Amino acid sequence: MAMEAGSGSAGCSARTLAACVIGGIVLGASVLALHLTGPTAIPSLPPLDAVRRRFRRRRRPVRVYMDGCFDMMHYGHCNALRQARALGDELIVGVISDEEIKANKGPPVTPLHERMIMVRAVKWVDDIIPDAPYAITEEFMNKLFTEYDIDYIIHGDDPCLLPDGTDAYALAKKAGRYKQIKRTEGVSTTDIVERSSDAHNHSSLQRQFSSGHGQKVDDGGSGSGTRVSHFLPTSRRIVQFSNSRGPGPDSRIVYIDGAFDLFHAGHVEILRLARELGDFLLVGIHTDQTISSTRGRHRPIMNLHERSLSVLACRYVDEVIIGAPWDVSKDMITTFNISLVVHGTIAENMDFMEDDSNPYAVPKAMGIYRRLESPLDITTSTIIRRIVANHEAYQRNEKKEASEKKYYESKSFVNGE
């Protein structure tokens, strides 16, 4: 048995030695071949730096760019930004300067610093570029590609023409770096300007609506003179704008309510302050009928669903109550587990604070009511006064209305949401 084991071990050692010799010969032949043929013998292997660059490119987020005036920013603007963000990982937004808007369209209703507040507050925006040019020049396009690492420039399917009739995005299309989204129908800055002008001079409401604006007065027995928007609200659009998360079991829930009509920078700033006071911001949006009864038959300018979407798009807002009651009741506070009820110092009408029927009487009695100093002295009436003061300058809107009418007449289906 010992002899058999020994001869087995010897045989194994011989085989191992033979394998090592053969392996050495093969390795030596390979090295000799590399030495004789030189580095050009393996051209298919990329340099290490190239591999690293490719890896970094794969890991780098796709950055998309969208620009605009974002004047009197509305849910249509927000939906465009939402769609643009879906085409990449990061959305950079160019906010066109006041001077460029004046030169190409007429004076803006809201100045640049207010428009920047509005755009920065949209939850799909990652960064902004202030004072962006109205037209995408070759110089600015190259700056986007090199300095801002932009991969694609985005715009809606509606045409954007310069005063000379040329396409503002022609260069981006030629460079193959252009992508298109679907325009949000039913609203535009032009339309809102017209609604606001009508609200200021509401004695002529019926005459203007019957003269071919394509809008009607919603009288539905509610006493509201609000225009019926072209916007067709769907549950899917509300879901798209909503956050998917709710408050945690120990969250401090802050509640603020209001009309939030012609959603503006003053609204955004008070919402920002309110959100800083807790973990979850719940916003109550009053009904059209409630607003009409407290502010006049010509209000609100935007209907309930339009106003709700504008508020939902704000990054400081976690949830909204669509059609919130005027009075904040004990049952409502318990149902939503509200920790704090707040209201700003700037509003359309603060007289109700002194009335016996103060809508905040219950949270006041509970010691959970707080007034916040509003950062900006802006109301919906402020915006309407700006429009009326520059009414002649806004006659440019007639040309824009004709352009929008042409768009609706010749439009075709574009896949998008």
Side-chain angles (χ1 to χ4, degrees):
M1 292 291 290
M3 280 296 291
E4 290 177 3
S7 62
S9 298
C12 205
S13 298
R15 286 195 297 272
T16 301
L17 179 62
C20 290
V21 171
I22 294 171
I25 294 171
V26 172
L27 179 61
S30 300
V31 171
L32 180 62
L34 285 173
H35 177 72
L36 294 175
T37 56
T40 56
I42 49 170
S44 60
L45 295 177
L48 185 58
D49 287 344
V51 173
R52 286 173 177 164
R53 282 197 299 271
R54 289 177 190 172
F55 182 68
R56 282 198 298 267
R57 278 201 297 270
R58 283 198 298 271
R59 290 186 60 192
R60 185 177 73 80
V62 175
R63 290 165 63 87
V64 296
Y65 173 82
M66 171 173 268
D67 60 11
C69 302
F70 303 105
D71 194 16
M72 296 183 67
M73 192 163 185
H74 49 71
Y75 64 90
H77 291 132
C78 297
N79 193 46
L81 295 173
R82 181 190 65 80
Q83 292 181 80
R85 179 64 168 72
L87 295 176
D89 302 305
E90 296 176 358
L91 172 61
I92 316 302
V93 179
V95 185
I96 296 171
S97 68
D98 293 343
E99 292 71 23
E100 287 275 272
I101 297 175
K102 289 176 186 175
N104 288 277
K105 301 176 71 172
V109 177
T110 47
L112 178 64
H113 72 277
E114 290 182 21
R115 292 185 285 117
M116 287 174 60
I117 289 173
M118 297 299 294
V119 175
R120 201 184 294 277
V122 176
K123 59 188 176 185
W124 298 290
V125 175
D126 294 289
D127 201 359
I128 63 173
I129 300 174
D131 291 314
Y134 190 81
I136 303 288
T137 62
E138 188 167 3
E139 179 184 4
F140 184 70
M141 184 173 70
N142 290 333
K143 184 176 181 180
L144 289 176
F145 296 156
T146 56
E147 292 186 25
Y148 293 98
D149 291 326
I150 299 299
D151 295 288
Y152 298 102
I153 295 171
I154 317 292
H155 191 260
D157 62 315
D158 54 320
C160 183
L161 303 179
L162 300 174
D164 62 2
T166 58
D167 184 354
Y169 296 90
L171 290 174
K173 291 176 181 177
K174 185 178 179 181
R177 306 282 285 273
Y178 176 84
K179 287 190 175 184
Q180 186 171 276
I181 59 169
K182 187 174 183 178
R183 181 184 190 271
T184 304
E185 298 179 8
V187 67
S188 68
T189 300
T190 300
D191 174 54
I192 294 173
V193 165
E194 289 299 313
R195 296 194 213 183
S196 302
S197 298
D198 291 344
H200 179 77
N201 187 24
H202 57 279
S203 62
S204 62
L205 225 55
Q206 294 284 2
R207 185 183 71 254
Q208 292 188 27
F209 289 145
S210 62
S211 66
H213 277 289
Q215 303 259 7
K216 297 179 181 178
V217 174
D218 176 15
D219 227 355
S222 66
S224 171
T226 306
R227 283 187 180 196
V228 176
S229 167
H230 284 304
F231 172 62
L232 301 176
T234 63
S235 58
R236 185 177 184 187
R237 180 53 45 81
I238 293 173
V239 169
Q240 288 170 338
F241 273 54
S242 299
N243 293 334
S244 58
R245 64 185 182 277
D250 300 320
S251 293
R252 178 175 168 82
I253 300 174
V254 180
Y255 178 74
I256 185 171
D257 61 0
F260 298 100
D261 197 15
L262 295 183
F263 196 62
H264 52 70
H267 291 138
V268 167
E269 288 294 88
I270 198 67
L271 291 174
R272 177 180 60 81
L273 291 185
R275 183 60 175 79
E276 290 175 356
L277 297 175
D279 308 303
F280 192 91
L281 181 60
L282 176 65
V283 181
I285 316 291
H286 293 153
T287 66
D288 296 347
Q289 290 78 11
T290 296
I291 298 167
S292 293
S293 66
T294 57
R295 300 179 190 177
R297 184 177 179 275
H298 54 292
R299 298 285 189 91
I301 308 300
M302 311 290 283
N303 68 38
L304 176 60
H305 288 102
E306 293 176 309
R307 292 181 285 115
S308 297
L309 287 180
S310 291
V311 175
L312 273 173
C314 181
R315 68 171 70 249
Y316 310 120
V317 176
D318 294 291
E319 182 64 286
V320 303
I321 300 175
I322 302 175
W326 177 254
D327 294 305
V328 182
S329 66
K330 177 69 167 62
D331 179 69
M332 178 179 168
I333 291 170
T334 303
T335 298
F336 291 100
N337 196 27
I338 295 169
S339 304
L340 182 66
V341 177
V342 301
H343 194 279
T345 55
I346 301 295
E348 293 284 331
N349 180 9
M350 298 294 286
D351 293 343
F352 64 82
M353 300 298 290
E354 309 303 327
D355 295 344
D356 295 334
S357 58
N358 187 334
Y360 303 106
V362 170
K364 272 189 168 184
M366 296 174 64
I368 61 168
Y369 176 80
R370 180 173 170 182
R371 287 186 70 181
L372 298 181
E373 190 69 33
S374 299
L376 296 176
D377 186 7
I378 303 173
T379 65
T380 300
S381 293
T382 304
I383 306 298
I384 293 175
R385 283 194 295 269
R386 291 178 185 176
I387 293 170
V388 173
N390 291 281
H391 186 263
E392 289 186 8
Y394 296 134
Q395 293 301 313
R396 61 171 170 94
N397 290 315
E398 293 179 3
K399 183 177 179 181
K400 181 68 175 174
E401 278 185 341
S403 173
E404 290 182 0
K405 183 179 179 182
K406 184 178 180 181
Y407 164 79
Y408 278 108
E409 289 175 347
S410 61
K411 77 172 186 177
S412 58
F413 176 77
V414 175
N415 188 28
E417 51 182 10

